[in-house]
Amino acid sequence: MRARPKAANRDLLSEAEARLAMLDPAVPTEFVHLLFARVPEEDLSPYSAEGLAELAATAYAHLSAPRKGEGADIRLIDLEVERTGRRRDITAIEVVNANMPFLLDSTLAELVEQGYEPRLVAHPIVGVERDEAGALVRVVGEATAAAPVGARRESFIQVHLDRIDDQAARARLCEGLAKVYADVAVAVRDWPGMRARITEAIYSYRSNPPPLPQDEVAEAIAFLDWVADENFTFLGIREYRLPKGDTAADPIAESG
């Protein structure tokens, strides 16, 4: 299923499809829409159709590369694109990843932390089929809700930045993003277990309440119920002992 671009973007993307067909016939022309249809009009309109076709071809080449494992495939690609009527140098960050929550927000937070200002952000969730070696067989289409039968959902992120020439800065950016994606993967993997721990705590406080005033126990249970009702994003859990007096809380080993 294609994302439906806003009317103002439709003509630009259609022209970009025609340019892509001439630039690289091996790339499905509909990939232009898949990549850019959800980009806000004000971010997309400064680009020429030719520039978008070049960016789509670059993105498809990255997506086509064999995937080794489930980790993020991060690339920095230097391009010259036509934007606001002029050829401009940009560095595009491209990331292929197994789809999971928090990827885009975490990416943008890391970019801001390192002092970068994104010029364009594209983040389609795509359904893809890959062979045993991880190479792309075909792009099935957009897979926002669920992957089509026989396909897997992958996140493709493309962010445009002003050109980055400093090699140390490039390495720092890639290292920072790799760490962010590893943290996200751990948090997502442990999400069910963390929610189960909260459920266990609620059940324990209700069935065997601690020797505390009843209103305090009720308040604690109400708070945990609220947290468990998808009002909180769990990034980690650890248990602590609370000694008497003013002694600091004591973390329980291997409870994280």
Side-chain angles (χ1 to χ4, degrees):
M1 180 182 296
R2 268 192 186 186
R4 293 184 178 179
K6 293 182 179 179
N9 287 347
R10 193 174 299 127
D11 291 344
L12 176 60
L13 294 180
S14 295
E15 186 180 348
E17 283 188 336
R19 297 291 185 119
L20 179 60
M22 294 184 291
L23 175 68
D24 190 344
V27 181
T29 56
E30 60 268 21
F31 189 72
V32 172
H33 277 76
L34 183 62
L35 182 59
F36 294 120
R38 297 186 183 277
V39 175
E41 177 188 344
E42 61 271 20
D43 293 339
L44 197 64
S45 59
Y47 288 80
S48 68
E50 180 183 3
L52 294 179
E54 293 170 354
L55 289 161
T58 298
Y60 192 82
H62 186 179
L63 191 65
S64 298
R67 293 271 290 135
K68 298 178 181 179
E70 294 296 323
D73 182 353
I74 306 168
R75 299 185 184 183
L76 298 186
I77 302 172
D78 296 323
L79 298 166
E80 186 186 73
V81 299
E82 186 175 338
R83 194 175 69 195
T84 60
R86 296 173 54 191
R87 301 294 293 181
R88 297 176 184 270
D89 291 326
I90 68 168
T91 294
I93 302 168
E94 289 189 347
V95 187
V96 182
N97 213 336
N99 187 54
M100 63 189 79
F102 317 129
L103 287 174
L104 182 59
D105 288 345
S106 299
T107 299
L108 297 178
E110 180 65 19
L111 291 175
V112 171
E113 177 70 20
Q114 294 202 26
Y116 295 105
E117 181 181 354
R119 302 298 182 184
L120 179 145
V121 178
H123 181 218
I125 309 301
V126 295
V128 301
E129 293 181 3
R130 295 187 180 275
D131 62 20
E132 293 183 357
L136 184 70
V137 175
R138 69 184 181 114
V139 175
V140 179
E142 188 177 28
T144 303
V149 176
R152 53 186 284 175
R153 297 174 76 219
E154 292 187 351
S155 161
F156 187 90
I157 295 174
Q158 187 183 88
V159 180
H160 299 181
L161 305 174
D162 292 335
R163 177 71 174 258
I164 306 172
D165 291 317
D166 184 84
Q167 293 303 312
R170 294 170 73 95
R172 187 164 55 249
L173 179 55
C174 289
E175 289 168 4
L177 289 172
K179 183 177 185 303
V180 163
Y181 298 138
D183 289 345
V184 168
V186 170
V188 171
R189 183 194 67 201
D190 288 352
W191 179 275
M194 291 188 284
R195 287 182 58 84
R197 294 276 285 275
I198 293 298
T199 301
E200 290 169 6
I202 294 170
Y203 176 79
S204 175
Y205 290 158
R206 283 190 171 129
S207 60
N208 185 26
L212 294 170
Q214 185 175 356
D215 60 337
E216 291 186 16
V217 175
E219 183 179 359
I221 292 173
F223 172 71
L224 292 176
D225 278 333
W226 178 85
V227 166
D229 191 25
E230 299 187 1
N231 287 303
F232 188 80
T233 299
F234 291 98
L235 299 180
I237 282 181
R238 177 175 291 156
E239 295 181 19
Y240 290 82
R241 295 184 184 89
L242 297 176
K244 294 181 180 180
D246 294 331
T247 307
D250 181 22
I252 298 175
E254 299 183 0
S255 67

